[in-house]
Amino acid sequence: MDGYLKDKSVLIIVVISPKYKMDVEGDGSDQHGLHTKYIHTQIQNEFIQQRCLNFRLVPVLFPNANQSHVPMWLQSTRLFRWPQDTQDLLLRLLREERYIPPPLGKELTLTIKPL
């Protein structure tokens, strides 16, 4: 698990649900053995170290969840709603852009004339 967390080329899907919020904000016990709180702390630390820029977290909001279930530190990043944002989510996971930017034109020349 730590190998995937440390490998910066791996995207991390954060499935946001009421259960996730209870797991990460709960009393600290991990009864189902998924290490949710540990993973949450690790990705939160990485997010803070990256100066709150999100390079590899992909938060997915499930139908039974709403904005209040999203951790405060993750609310400034792009959320994907399941299943409405399926196409955008797939593009993000494939690291592809929805819109292809147009090619750059000729380089502009700046001429300064004194008055």
Side-chain angles (χ1 to χ4, degrees):
M1 176 176 48
D2 279 332
Y4 290 116
L5 290 172
K6 292 177 182 173
D7 184 354
K8 302 298 182 193
S9 67
V10 174
L11 292 174
I12 299 173
I13 299 173
V14 182
V15 177
I16 298 173
S17 68
K19 175 86 171 103
Y20 178 76
K21 184 169 177 93
M22 282 191 321
D23 285 348
V24 298
E25 293 180 357
D27 62 0
S29 63
D30 186 10
Q31 298 170 353
H32 41 70
L34 297 176
H35 308 290
T36 307
K37 195 164 200 153
Y38 171 76
I39 295 169
H40 176 83
T41 303
Q42 294 298 99
I43 61 177
Q44 182 181 20
N45 288 339
E46 178 182 325
F47 186 78
I48 292 167
Q49 288 172 359
Q50 295 290 335
R51 297 188 175 132
C52 299
L53 296 174
N54 181 13
F55 295 110
R56 66 184 195 130
L57 300 177
V58 183
V60 179
L61 203 62
F62 269 34
N64 60 340
N66 57 45
Q67 191 74 26
S68 69
H69 296 111
V70 179
M72 288 300 292
W73 60 271
L74 200 52
Q75 289 193 4
S76 65
T77 191
R78 166 73 158 96
L79 294 174
F80 296 92
R81 296 184 184 281
W82 183 261
Q84 297 94 320
D85 297 333
T86 305
Q87 185 177 10
D88 290 339
L89 177 60
L90 288 174
L91 288 172
R92 175 69 178 111
L93 295 174
L94 294 171
R95 298 175 192 240
E96 292 183 10
E97 295 293 329
R98 178 185 271 271
Y99 304 104
I100 300 170
L104 295 175
K106 294 180 182 176
E107 203 169 308
L108 297 176
T109 303
L110 180 63
T111 306
I112 300 173
K113 294 181 180 178
L115 295 174

